[in-house]
Amino acid sequence: AQKITQTQPGMFVQEKEAVTLDCTYDTSDPSYSLFWYKQPSSGEMIFLIYQGSYDQQNATEGRYSLNFQKARKSANLVISASQLGDSAMYFCAMRVLNTGGFKTIFGAGTRLFVKA
Amino acid sequence: DTAVSQTPKYLVTQMGNDKSIKCEQNLGHDTMYWYKQDSKKFLKIMFSYNNKELIINETVPNRFSPKSPDKAHLNLHINSLELGDSAVYFCASSLTSGWADTQYFGPGTRLTVL
């Protein structure tokens, strides 16, 4: 079955430290994409970072990097130098072929709390 | 300029009513989506349209009817609203419907059914 698993319902990190949010995925398709989205308390879904299944290098976007380990089917998000504004819900997602076309499956999310 | 916009942002209504949510994107994308986020924050695809054609229709009650008058707009009409329809509904768009496309989300519409 195609699914995304985020095993950390909540995480705490001290301001200015790095934090890793875990994500594992399950698919037998060779072509898929992985994404991370941030949802602050205001509710909007903000795209953070993308990794394609054929990409050789880990994706990076500013303070965000995606630790892509294909053999282990993991796509962890690393946030460096955490800021108070990073406190939010973080969703890992996978885009895969399903009945009717490609669709995006979301994990249950991890709530990150950044402490001052 | 807002890339993906939705109206209204909040919708409070009585059970049994019919309501619509509108979505527009100015990104020039071909594909648009409706998602439902429940009270536990779980996000699930409902529908997907590519160039005005329905390509994904999850197991959603037929009280929900999407309409795409053109590829920049995707509206969601809900008939006979039920308590369980209370949720946040997100519209999203992507350049195409392929496997590598990033989706960009609207601000969401919080629907409360009383």
Side-chain angles (χ1 to χ4, degrees), chain B residues 88-99:
Chain B
V88 179
Y89 292 85
F90 284 98
C91 176
S93 73
S94 62
L95 187 60
T96 72
S97 56
W99 64 274

Side-chain angles (χ1 to χ4, degrees), chain A residues 1-21:
Chain A
Q2 295 168 327
K3 71 177 193 174
I4 288 274
T5 303
Q6 294 179 255
T7 56
Q8 307 152 314
M11 287 278 288
F12 285 87
V13 65
Q14 196 66 40
E15 196 179 8
K16 298 180 187 167
E17 290 185 353
V19 64
T20 298
L21 306 184

Side-chain angles (χ1 to χ4, degrees), chain A residues 31-33 35 37 39 42-45 47 50 52-54 89 91 95 99-104 106 111, chain B residues 9 31 33 35 37 40-43 45 55-56 58 90 94 96-107:
Chain A
S31 301
Y32 55 89
S33 299
F35 305 86
Y37 286 87
Q39 187 175 40
S42 50
E44 70 268 33
M45 292 285 289
F47 164 69
Y50 157 91
S53 58
Y54 298 110
M89 196 78 170
F91 292 96
R95 190 164 173 83
T99 308
F102 288 97
K103 75 174 188 181
T104 304
F106 285 80
R111 188 170 292 281
Chain B
K9 190 161 171 61
T31 308
Y33 312 81
Y35 284 87
Q37 186 175 43
K40 294 185 176 171
K41 299 290 190 182
F42 186 64
L43 201 64
I45 181 80
I55 55 171
I56 288 176
E58 290 292 286
F90 284 98
S94 62
T96 72
S97 56
W99 64 274
D101 283 287
T102 299
Q103 291 173 63
Y104 296 92
F105 284 78

Side-chain angles (χ1 to χ4, degrees), chain B residues 15-68:
Chain B
M15 254 191 330
N17 283 352
D18 303 339
K19 290 292 178 187
S20 292
I21 307 171
K22 297 188 176 195
C23 177
E24 176 180 3
Q25 55 94 3
N26 63 6
L27 297 167
H29 288 171
D30 283 350
T31 308
M32 296 184 73
Y33 312 81
W34 279 111
Y35 284 87
K36 179 180 180 180
Q37 186 175 43
D38 63 23
S39 58
K40 294 185 176 171
K41 299 290 190 182
F42 186 64
L43 201 64
K44 194 169 190 307
I45 181 80
M46 299 173 71
F47 302 103
S48 174
Y49 271 75
N50 186 57
N51 271 321
K52 303 191 296 175
E53 293 208 11
L54 182 67
I55 55 171
I56 288 176
N57 183 351
E58 290 292 286
T59 45
V60 176
N62 57 15
R63 298 182 294 103
F64 290 78
S65 50
K67 279 196 172 53
S68 183

